[in-house]
Amino acid sequence: MALWGGRFEKGVDAFTQEFGASLEDDKAMAQQDIRGSIAHATMLAKQGIISQEDCDAIVSGLKDISEQIADGTFEYDVNDEDIHMAVEKTLTNNIGKPGARLHTGRSRNDQVATDIRLYAKDLTRELLEGNVELRRTFIDVAEKNFGVVMPGYTHLQHAQPVLFSHHMLAYFWMFTRDYVRLTAAYEAADANPLGSAALAGTTYPLDRAYTTELLGFDHAIPNSMDAVSDRDYLLDLEYACAVSMMHLSRLCEEIVLWSSTEFGFITLSDSYSTGSSIMPQKKNPDFAELTRGKTGRVYGDLMALLTTMKSLPLAYNKDLQECKEGPADAAKTLLDCMAIASGMLSTMTVNADTMLDQAHKGFTAATDVADYLAKKGMPFREAHEVVGKLVLYCEKHNKGLEDLTADEFRSASPLFEDDIAQDLDPEGIARARTTYGGTGHDAVRAQLKEAKAALAADEAALPKAPESK
Ligand code: ARG
């Protein structure tokens, strides 16, 4: 019989029972459910609502269940709708009456909200750690390949030479912003709904500040109706995951391009590649592609929850049961994808010569040639025009700018002198970009230092798993 047996003369049929159940999704937060129940029972005893003896029996019974769940010996009953019922029923079967007192002054509505918030915090903590590891990889790869010059792109057309390290650090900063977003999601989840009961609070003298402290929440949620019906913190988490997946999809797109025959910029390690069942020569960047593809499901998780939440009247509605699978999926997908990206980056070979070769192509020196004229007094717009014509000339004669003779340069403008040759070298062009945040060697060295400091600060600020008292 269900927990509400008194009011009902018959139960639902097996299919309806299964349809209404959330046990499968709940299993992931079984330990959080037990933590919440231990805190609730401890508080009930402190307030004299149940006896200390009953509390001790409940706590030790819950700890046994926790162990069984951890070692996989806990027997789930398909007739239990959710984890709350599964744990409470087993507890009561095991310890008798004290187990039946656990739910005093509590509803599954504040219980599930507590479980999900604890679970969201645990997931986000893992994500923050994964984020730090991935960012460390970008720094390592940037350091290991310092000085490698590649073409920088706009519109996927050669634009100007840049340092490969600069390109890697651009990703470092994207994921630094993701750390901030994840931290905001963590803080949003870090509030205690327990003690709100079904929606209105209870007549028992609960000490919500005490369960807040026991569960390691930052504060108690001030409105019981908001407490049981809010899932915004899961949207925050999914949004943070979605943006981070978008960043990974951009990285993976570049990995796919760079490992193609056309680019040849990198060679992925065999451990991060797959072959073809028919084409013996193939080495495919499957894991980069799959990460790019998984971005779609994480966006889907975010859209699903936004849609579930839309128009829900206060307070608890069963629709809210649909809120658990998506955030767990989004978080786990991002966690796995960050680990895969880290692995791909730290094991790939960077083909520095190919990158440099390509940096020569596509007139990547053109801006610097125009700057050369501008620095000699020609207005930049005029210089742009002169160099545009030179590029056209080169294209017609199948030459690069570095193939032009001093006379050819001078026929475009008398301001050109022999030293123009120095301004055509991709390495020198990159080095000359000395502005803060620019791609010059010194600027990138300074940026690396700044990135390391940011990473160290974020690593030191990682939230610690609260010791449940
Ligand atoms: N299984 C439910 C959920 O996950 C627990 C809360 C049920 N509350 C209720 N009033 N039916 O949301």
Side-chain angles (χ1 to χ4, degrees):
M1 201 36 125
L3 288 177
W4 45 81
R7 159 78 175 75
F8 288 77
E9 288 179 343
K10 62 177 183 177
V12 294
D13 67 34
F15 172 70
T16 312
Q17 156 70 28
E18 199 189 322
F19 176 79
S22 62
L23 188 58
E24 275 315 304
D25 294 338
D26 290 353
K27 285 180 183 171
M29 35 190 211
Q31 296 295 355
Q32 288 80 359
D33 190 71
I34 291 173
R35 268 158 66 193
S37 288
I38 290 178
H40 183 65
T42 308
M43 181 276 297
L44 289 178
K46 179 178 104 49
Q47 297 299 95
I49 301 166
I50 61 171
S51 69
Q52 190 55 48
E53 236 184 332
D54 281 352
C55 172
D56 292 344
I58 291 172
V59 170
S60 105
L62 286 171
K63 284 188 174 160
D64 288 345
I65 294 176
S66 162
E67 274 169 33
Q68 285 174 7
I69 289 173
D71 66 24
T73 54
F74 184 78
E75 280 179 25
Y76 286 102
D77 176 354
V78 287
N79 294 313
D80 289 328
E81 178 188 315
D82 52 33
I83 190 69
H84 327 301
M85 289 164 144
V87 170
E88 191 185 326
K89 190 182 77 184
T90 306
L91 178 73
T92 308
N93 285 344
N94 292 352
I95 67 167
K97 270 219 165 73
R101 295 209 165 93
L102 168 62
H103 211 55
T104 312
R106 186 176 71 169
S107 154
R108 283 183 301 148
N109 297 352
D110 59 339
Q111 186 178 0
V112 69
T114 306
D115 293 7
I116 303 177
R117 282 175 177 272
L118 290 173
Y119 184 53
K121 283 178 67 182
D122 290 343
L123 285 174
T124 311
R125 214 177 288 116
E126 278 187 73
L127 287 169
L128 285 163
E129 282 163 17
N131 171 284
V132 164
E133 284 319 308
L134 176 60
R135 283 157 67 205
R136 198 190 317 284
T137 305
F138 284 116
I139 291 183
D140 289 348
V141 173
E143 273 192 318
K144 200 167 82 188
N145 298 284
F146 195 84
V148 172
V149 176
M150 65 181 285
Y153 296 83
T154 64
H155 312 270
L156 206 55
Q157 307 287 321
H158 287 199
Q160 293 171 342
V162 295
L163 290 191
F164 172 68
S165 308
H166 194 48
H167 198 119
M168 286 292 103
L169 288 178
Y171 282 104
F172 172 88
W173 296 112
M174 287 184 215
F175 288 98
T176 299
R177 294 193 295 277
D178 293 340
Y179 183 98
V180 176
R181 269 179 282 271
L182 285 166
T183 302
Y186 185 86
E187 286 168 1
D190 197 10
N192 183 17
L194 195 60
S196 300
L199 76 163
T202 100
T203 56
Y204 296 97
L206 304 187
D207 183 348
R208 294 193 59 210
Y210 187 48
T211 54
T212 299
E213 187 197 323
L214 290 177
L215 291 170
F217 280 117
D218 181 69
H219 60 275
I221 297 173
N223 181 309
S224 59
M225 295 178 79
D226 186 36
V228 295
S229 63
D230 170 34
R231 299 292 184 272
D232 294 358
Y233 54 98
L234 294 177
L235 288 170
D236 293 341
L237 174 57
E238 289 188 331
Y239 169 63
C241 290
V243 175
S244 209
M245 284 301 299
M246 176 271 286
H247 290 152
L248 282 175
S249 79
R250 297 180 70 180
L251 171 73
C252 287
E253 171 73 7
E254 299 212 285
I255 289 178
V256 171
L257 284 173
W258 291 353
S259 59
S260 68
T261 309
E262 281 72 11
F263 277 78
F265 285 5
I266 56 169
T267 310
L268 285 178
S269 154
D270 286 358
S271 341
Y272 287 94
S273 311
T274 58
S276 153
S277 57
I278 178 170
M279 297 167 283
Q281 86 286 8
K282 288 302 287 283
K283 184 170 166 184
N284 296 328
D286 270 36
F287 303 101
E289 295 166 62
L290 195 52
T291 300
R292 191 177 58 184
K294 280 180 189 285
T295 307
R297 68 189 277 165
V298 176
Y299 286 6
D301 290 330
L302 172 61
M303 283 316 298
L305 183 53
L306 277 169
T307 313
T308 299
M309 295 306 296
K310 180 180 176 294
S311 314
L312 282 189
L314 287 177
Y316 180 86
N317 298 274
K318 182 79 167 180
D319 314 45
L320 294 174
Q321 182 166 289
E322 284 295 299
C323 293
K324 296 176 238 183
E325 194 180 353
D329 179 70
K332 286 186 175 151
T333 303
L334 174 58
L335 199 62
D336 291 351
C337 290
M338 286 192 293
I340 290 287
S342 242
M344 275 190 298
L345 290 166
S346 54
T347 55
M348 71 187 184
T349 307
V350 173
N351 302 325
D353 292 347
T354 312
M355 286 190 182
L356 183 60
D357 258 13
Q358 285 298 330
H360 279 278
K361 296 182 188 159
F363 308 102
T364 55
T367 312
D368 291 65
V369 176
D371 285 342
Y372 174 97
L373 293 175
K375 284 174 190 165
K376 298 218 167 191
M378 184 183 286
F380 182 77
R381 278 288 147 240
E382 254 175 60
H384 186 288
E385 173 84 13
V386 169
V387 180
K389 285 195 175 128
L390 257 182
V391 169
L392 197 62
Y393 173 88
C394 286
E395 276 186 338
K396 283 190 178 143
H397 295 83
N398 200 19
K399 286 181 171 191
L401 284 168
E402 63 278 17
D403 304 322
L404 296 176
T405 63
D407 284 344
E408 282 173 312
F409 269 113
R410 261 188 290 277
S411 67
S413 164
L415 289 177
F416 281 119
E417 293 177 55
D418 290 351
D419 61 354
I420 181 61
Q422 292 160 21
D423 284 24
L424 302 176
D425 166 46
E427 219 247 347
I429 292 173
R431 190 180 294 279
R433 286 177 159 68
T434 51
T435 37
Y436 173 76
T439 200
H441 295 57
D442 288 346
V444 174
R445 246 181 237 113
Q447 188 191 158
L448 258 171
K449 212 167 146 199
E450 202 175 326
K452 281 185 191 174
L455 185 67
D458 286 348
E459 191 171 12
L462 281 174
K464 311 263 172 299
E467 281 294 316
S468 272
K469 289 169 214 160

